[in-house]
């Protein structure tokens, strides 16, 4: 018997799904977000096992003009649910509202439908079936429109293939499969240079090995299922999988985040596919050996990056890597920021509009020309004319060149290998640029809402092109980040764990330029750290509050001080211990205390000759008793710390907070001196910190 079925799909993938259904012997009728077809239950099962693109397969059982929740209840209560499942089966109801009904409460409508079903069973037998939202035996779907439609959801969400575990990603398996089909991938070499949790890799592997995405799917408790037909189709799919099990699988994935790589490896293992995954950054990506194939990129959609500017530079880097190294390959980029495709700098041969839920995406195709034979090692992406800074950036280039000439000589003379070389000198180029040995870090300041994003993208790209040229660093050694406010600089962004040593005042500090917004070393405090250390001698008791990576403690310990470093983060305290070991310091007597600073001061244990306090402007953590607001809380913090200070001791209090005002009443209790003019170095004169020295009266 033939019935009408509805296949839903992500917006933009309807045509792909229609082609897929035709290949399965089904003639569908397209409509926005869905396709209808007249077929047998076995046809629906074939879709459930083999469709890579369909989101759901629905079997409508009632259509009516509900008018409102009460009308919905009556219509749902009239359906003979006892013909579809029993009181021993569990069920759930989901609701999707049409665009003109989005204001209606979908949860309430689903609840009214559930009530109608339960009441019908109770009226006819005195008992009712239970609701199970996690693993229901029967799924019921309400399409709230005019007319309203109630359907049986035969397989549930078909993006669930069973291999992704708890991984979360903006791209579902069905959308990934649709993108691969639009890309024309039918097997062969495939590389995902930003593989994330591994979804595209597995979907490509399923295509290459002829593995049905619904092979492990189980039929629910619907009373009218044809288990014989399902088992026959399932057996056929298993036979095809077995026949293709020895096909070569040239599929490789890269990602620069260690935790993400582990997650992706677990994903492909659950899928049973021998796919190679490596921790490798985009800038280090190279094609696999052998013939060219498809290279895929799905850049982060803002979740793992801090700003639009970082995404713009990432898209620019994608263009460089593709042009430089993947000649002869066909590249596809799925971007959740369509405007940023212009930053790639390559001509697209085709674009498709897709939707990941409400997010509009672009799938761009690039036919990469095979490289010409060359007699030198010049990268294609570095050829003259590939990318050049615009003439509008000449003023920025001249200022950066002038600053670098002056500051590089100064820093070299002082023995510092890290310094700021540009600090928003020109308003149109609102960035800060720090140099760490042979690496440059570009921090984009907060973007102005009065300037178009594309203009700001272009300016930031100019900066990224000029920095390597003027500072004399390799292009791959330029990092770009968005400057955050408050405590966001401490939030983790990646997990590369990569640290390298830099030199300051004869000490070695380990910095990380990838995993956090800040690097583990506040460059503007270098003079203050040195000045505090000079006051220390053998046995001086030095307390470092909000110690971060304990750099001030290191310099004090090098003078023979016994240091106590207090911070709430075990990660930063461990980093601080690494800084101590990097300087071969004796750890005896050096303490690293993981606790809230306010809690530490409340305990009132121990007294100190020197205290350094550089709190964040604002901080909130589950491990704290409350939040920390520096402007509000600094008088109490300083007063408590002064109680721990020896009579002839010194406390230094420093802050980067732009609008901070020191409470004038503190000068009634303590000797207070603003020493900022002596602690702000030459390279930070445009964005100085404030520092006060406190002693007992």
């Amino acid at each position: 018997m033939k019935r009408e079925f509805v296949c839903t799909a992500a917006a933009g993938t309807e045509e792909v799904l229609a082609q897929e259904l035709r290949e399965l012997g089904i003639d569908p009728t397209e409509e926005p977000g869905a396709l209808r077809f007249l077929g047998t239950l076995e046809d629906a099962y074939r879709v459930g096992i083999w469709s890579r693109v369909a989101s759901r397969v629905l079997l409508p059982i009632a259509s009516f003009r509900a008018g409102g929740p009460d009308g919905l209840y009556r219509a749902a209560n009239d359906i003979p649910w006892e013909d579809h499942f029993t009181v021993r089966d569990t069920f759930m109801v989901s609701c999707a509202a049409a665009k003109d009904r989005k204001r209606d409460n979908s949860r309430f409508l689903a609840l009214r439908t559930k009530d109608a079903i339960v009441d019908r069973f109770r009226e006819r037998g005195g008992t009712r079936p239970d609701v199970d939202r996690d693993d229901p035996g029967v799924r019921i779907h309400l399409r709230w429109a005019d007319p309203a439609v109630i359907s049986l959801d035969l397989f549930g969400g078909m993006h669930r293939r069973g291999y992704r575990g708890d991984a979360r990603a903006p791209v579902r398996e069905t959308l990934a499969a649709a993108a691969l089909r639009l890309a024309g991938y039918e097997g062969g070499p495939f590389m995902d240079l930003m593989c994330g949790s591994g979804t595209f890799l597995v979907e490509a592997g399923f295509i290459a090995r002829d593995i049905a995405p619904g092979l492990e799917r189980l039929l629910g408790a619907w009373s009218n299922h044809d288990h014989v037909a399902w088992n026959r189709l399932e057996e056929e799919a298993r036979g095809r999988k077995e026949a293709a099990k020895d096909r070569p699988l040239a599929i490789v994935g890269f990602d620069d985040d260690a935790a993400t790589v582990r997650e992706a490896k677990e994903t492909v293992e659950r899928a049973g596919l021998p796919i190679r995954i490596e921790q490798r950054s985009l800038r280090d990506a190279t094609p696999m050996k052998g013939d060219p194939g498809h290279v895929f990129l799905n850049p982060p959609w803002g979740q793992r990056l801090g700003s639009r500017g970082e995404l713009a530079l990432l898209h620019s880097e994608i263009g460089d890597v593709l042009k430089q190294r993947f000649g002869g390959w066909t590249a596809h980029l799925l971007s959740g920021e369509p405007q940023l495709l212009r930053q790639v700098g390559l001509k697209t041969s085709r674009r498709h509009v897709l939707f990941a839920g409400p997010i509009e995406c672009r799938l761009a195709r690039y036919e990469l020309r095979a490289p010409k034979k060359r007699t030198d090692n010049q990268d294609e992406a570095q050829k003259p004319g590939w990318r050049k800074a615009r003439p509008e950036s000449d003023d920025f280039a001249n200022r950066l060149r002038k600053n670098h000439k002056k500051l590089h000589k100064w820093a070299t003379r002082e023995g510092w290998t890290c310094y700021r070389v540009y600090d928003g000198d020109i308003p149109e180029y609102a960035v800060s640029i720090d140099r760490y040995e042979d690496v440059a870090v570009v921090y984009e300041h907060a973007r102005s809402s009065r300037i178009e994003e594309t203009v700001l993208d272009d300016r930031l790209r100019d900066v990224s092109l000029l920095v390597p040229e003027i500072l004399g660093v390799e292009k791959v050694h330029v990092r770009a980040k968005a400057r955050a406010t408050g405590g966001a600089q401490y939030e983790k962004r990646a997990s590369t764990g990569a640290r390298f040593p830099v030199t300051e005042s004869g000490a070695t500090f380990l910095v990380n330029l990838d995993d956090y917004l800040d690097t583990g070393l506040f460059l503007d405090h270098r003079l203050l750290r040195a000045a505090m250390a000079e006051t220390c001698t053998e046995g001086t008791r030095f307390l470092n509050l909000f110690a971060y990576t304990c750099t001030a403690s290191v310099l004090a310990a090098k003078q023979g001080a016994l240091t106590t470093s207090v911070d709430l983060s075990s990660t930063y305290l461990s980093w601080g211990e690494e800084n101590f070991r990097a300087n071969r310091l004796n750890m005896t007597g050096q303490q690293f205390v993981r606790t809230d600073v306010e809690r530490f001061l409340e305990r009132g244990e121990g007294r100190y000759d020197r205290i350094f306090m550089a709190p964040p402007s604002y901080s909130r953590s589950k491990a704290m008793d409350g939040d920390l607001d520096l402007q509000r809380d600094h008088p109490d913090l300083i007063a408590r710390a002064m109680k721990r200070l020896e009579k002839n001791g010194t406390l230094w209090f420093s802050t980067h907070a732009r609008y901070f005002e020191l409470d004038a009443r503190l000068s009634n209790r303590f000797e207070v001196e603003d020493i900022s003019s002596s602690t702000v170095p030459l390279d930070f004169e445009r964005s100085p910190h404030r520092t006060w020295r406190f002693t007992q009266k």
Side-chain angles (χ1 to χ4, degrees):
M1 181 179 69
K2 290 191 175 183
R3 316 180 193 197
E4 184 182 60
F5 297 91
V6 176
C7 290
T8 64
T13 68
E14 297 91 345
E15 181 181 346
V16 178
L17 177 57
Q19 293 172 353
E20 189 179 57
L21 293 182
R22 292 187 190 103
E23 292 170 4
L24 294 174
I26 296 169
D27 185 20
T29 301
E30 293 184 43
E31 57 186 63
L35 290 92
R36 295 180 182 272
F37 69 89
L38 193 64
T40 64
L41 193 56
E42 186 169 333
D43 290 330
Y45 289 163
R46 191 172 286 107
V47 176
I49 289 177
W50 281 105
S51 177
R52 305 184 190 279
V53 179
S55 299
R56 297 181 186 274
V57 177
L58 305 176
L59 173 58
I61 57 175
S63 177
F64 50 89
R65 296 187 180 278
D70 292 338
L72 168 64
Y73 176 91
R74 290 190 294 271
N77 188 258
D78 286 340
I79 297 173
W81 293 107
E82 60 276 9
D83 294 343
H84 296 286
F85 62 103
T86 72
V87 293
R88 296 184 299 275
D89 300 316
T90 59
F91 77 103
M92 71 162 289
V93 180
S94 62
C95 176
K99 287 183 179 180
D100 59 344
R101 297 292 187 97
K102 287 295 184 182
R103 292 185 178 182
D104 294 343
N105 190 319
S106 295
R107 287 188 178 183
F108 178 69
L109 295 170
L111 180 63
R112 288 296 283 160
T113 307
K114 183 269 295 182
D115 290 342
I117 296 170
V118 166
D119 290 347
R120 181 179 178 93
F121 274 101
R122 188 182 285 121
E123 290 163 2
R124 281 160 177 73
T127 58
R128 51 154 289 180
D130 291 329
V131 172
D132 186 341
R133 296 187 177 278
D134 297 323
D135 188 23
V138 175
R139 296 176 184 270
I140 298 163
H141 183 271
L142 167 64
R143 168 69 173 170
W144 187 241
D146 189 13
V149 180
I150 293 179
S151 305
L152 293 169
D153 186 350
L154 294 183
F155 311 112
M158 291 170 61
H159 66 281
R160 299 184 181 93
R161 321 281 213 221
Y163 62 74
R164 203 154 73 171
D166 296 329
R168 293 184 179 181
V171 177
R172 287 185 168 183
E173 296 89 323
T174 45
L175 184 60
L180 290 173
R181 189 177 179 99
L182 286 169
Y185 181 72
E186 298 178 348
F190 180 87
M191 297 188 71
D192 187 342
L193 306 187
M194 309 178 91
C195 69
S197 60
T199 303
F200 284 91
L201 297 175
V202 173
E203 292 300 317
F206 278 2
I207 292 171
R209 286 278 177 90
D210 197 22
I211 298 173
L215 189 55
E216 303 303 323
R217 191 166 285 133
L218 299 176
L219 286 182
W222 182 46
S223 301
N224 300 310
H225 270 308
D226 185 345
H227 292 275
V228 174
W230 175 266
N231 292 338
R232 183 171 61 251
L233 291 172
E234 188 181 59
E235 189 62 29
E236 175 191 317
R238 293 192 186 282
R240 288 174 57 172
K241 177 182 177 181
E242 178 67 20
K245 68 177 183 179
D246 295 325
R247 286 183 186 175
L249 203 61
I251 298 178
V252 176
F254 298 149
D255 201 278
D256 64 355
D257 184 75
T260 302
V261 167
R262 288 194 297 272
E263 185 178 336
K265 287 182 176 180
E266 292 171 359
T267 298
V268 300
E269 184 177 347
R270 282 191 294 267
L273 294 169
I275 294 174
R276 177 165 59 93
I277 300 174
E278 299 179 12
Q279 183 180 353
R280 191 183 296 193
S281 67
L282 175 65
R283 66 180 68 93
D284 295 325
T286 55
M288 68 175 78
K289 294 180 180 179
D291 295 333
H294 289 73
V295 57
F296 216 93
L297 297 106
N298 176 30
W301 296 0
Q303 285 82 358
R304 283 167 53 191
L305 292 174
S307 75
R308 160 73 178 244
E310 290 179 70
L311 286 170
L313 290 183
L314 177 60
H315 280 69
S316 178
E317 185 178 359
I318 286 171
D320 289 346
V321 169
L322 293 179
K323 184 175 179 65
Q324 175 181 339
R325 301 179 192 147
F326 285 86
W329 288 67
T330 300
H332 306 273
L333 193 156
L334 181 64
S335 179
E337 298 279 354
Q339 286 185 332
L340 293 179
L341 289 176
R342 67 191 294 270
Q343 298 299 329
V344 175
L346 301 175
K347 184 179 180 180
T348 58
S349 59
R350 194 171 182 183
R351 295 190 187 195
H352 300 275
V353 179
L354 304 174
F355 284 83
I359 303 174
E360 182 177 338
C361 314
R362 291 292 187 280
L363 178 66
R365 180 186 181 97
Y366 303 93
E367 304 289 350
L368 305 174
R369 290 184 300 173
K372 297 178 181 179
K373 292 184 178 180
R374 302 182 59 81
T375 58
D376 53 43
N377 294 321
Q378 183 184 21
D379 283 338
E380 181 76 10
Q382 300 297 332
K383 288 172 57 179
W386 161 232
R387 287 195 196 272
K388 289 183 178 180
R390 301 167 307 143
E392 296 95 312
S393 65
D394 286 349
D395 288 345
F396 166 78
N398 293 333
R399 179 62 63 89
L400 180 61
R401 193 173 287 110
K402 179 180 178 181
N403 287 2
H404 183 240
K405 182 178 180 181
K406 172 184 176 182
L407 294 171
H408 184 65
K409 290 181 179 179
W410 165 75
T412 301
R413 184 173 63 250
E414 297 292 341
W416 299 324
T417 62
C418 313
Y419 55 95
R420 176 154 292 182
V421 69
Y422 178 89
D423 201 4
D425 303 40
I426 300 175
E428 289 78 9
Y429 288 85
V431 299
S432 298
I433 303 171
D434 295 340
R435 181 163 188 165
Y436 290 82
E437 303 277 352
D438 292 325
V439 181
V441 180
V442 178
Y443 293 101
E444 184 182 32
H445 299 175
R447 288 191 161 197
S448 171
S449 59
R450 297 189 299 272
I451 304 175
E452 291 184 13
E453 292 276 16
T454 53
V455 173
L456 297 172
D457 293 342
D458 290 342
R459 290 175 181 172
L460 190 58
R461 186 188 61 210
D462 289 340
V463 171
S464 72
L465 292 171
L466 291 167
V467 164
E469 172 191 334
I470 295 173
L471 301 191
V473 301
E474 295 290 334
K475 188 172 183 178
V476 295
H477 291 160
V478 177
R479 305 288 190 271
K481 305 179 182 183
R483 172 54 62 192
T485 58
Q489 68 264 30
Y490 303 106
E491 295 177 2
K492 198 166 188 178
R493 300 151 49 89
S495 55
T496 66
R499 296 175 186 165
F500 72 92
V502 296
T503 302
E504 178 194 299
S505 301
T508 297
F509 296 128
L510 302 175
V511 296
N512 182 316
L513 306 183
D514 298 302
D515 293 353
Y516 303 88
L517 185 66
D518 278 322
T519 64
L521 179 64
F522 290 129
L523 300 182
D524 66 318
H525 272 164
R526 72 172 79 88
L527 295 181
L528 177 57
R529 284 189 287 267
M532 291 188 297
E534 287 177 1
T535 71
C536 296
T537 58
E538 195 71 32
T540 297
R541 290 161 295 174
F542 182 89
L543 175 61
N544 188 358
L545 301 172
F546 305 97
Y548 192 33
T549 59
C550 310
T551 51
S553 301
V554 167
L555 288 183
K558 285 177 70 70
Q559 298 296 110
L562 300 176
T563 66
T564 299
S565 302
V566 182
D567 201 277
L568 195 56
S569 169
S570 58
T571 298
Y572 289 125
L573 287 178
S574 297
W575 193 337
E577 292 187 59
E578 289 184 41
N579 279 330
F580 269 73
R581 286 191 286 271
N583 288 275
R584 299 182 180 180
L585 290 168
N586 186 345
M587 303 295 282
T588 303
Q590 313 299 342
Q591 299 183 56
F592 302 86
V593 182
R594 182 184 179 276
T595 188
D596 176 30
V597 166
E598 291 185 272
R599 201 172 298 159
F600 176 84
L601 293 174
E602 281 178 6
R603 292 204 300 261
E605 301 171 2
R607 296 180 68 81
Y608 300 89
D609 305 301
R610 305 286 184 267
I611 299 178
F612 175 47
M613 182 188 298
S617 302
Y618 181 83
S619 180
R620 188 173 188 177
S621 168
K622 292 180 180 179
M624 297 171 62
D625 294 331
D627 64 341
L628 169 67
D629 183 308
L630 185 61
Q631 186 61 62
R632 179 192 69 199
D633 299 333
H634 78 274
D636 185 55
L637 271 176
I638 292 172
R640 290 186 183 185
M642 290 297 287
K643 290 181 180 179
R644 310 288 293 274
L645 189 67
E646 290 287 5
K647 184 176 180 180
N648 296 321
T650 305
L651 179 146
W652 292 269
F653 175 86
S654 187
T655 179
H656 297 92
R658 181 172 297 180
Y659 301 110
F660 177 82
E661 292 291 337
L662 189 72
D663 194 315
R665 292 172 294 181
L666 289 169
S667 61
N668 297 329
R669 303 176 60 184
F670 314 111
E671 295 290 343
V672 184
E673 181 183 2
D674 187 337
I675 61 170
S676 305
S677 61
S678 65
T679 63
V680 175
L682 175 65
D683 50 337
F684 280 88
E685 288 181 342
R686 291 185 59 84
S687 55
H689 60 249
R690 299 282 302 282
T691 302
W692 291 265
R693 182 166 54 206
F694 288 78
T695 55
Q696 303 285 6
K697 279 194 172 182

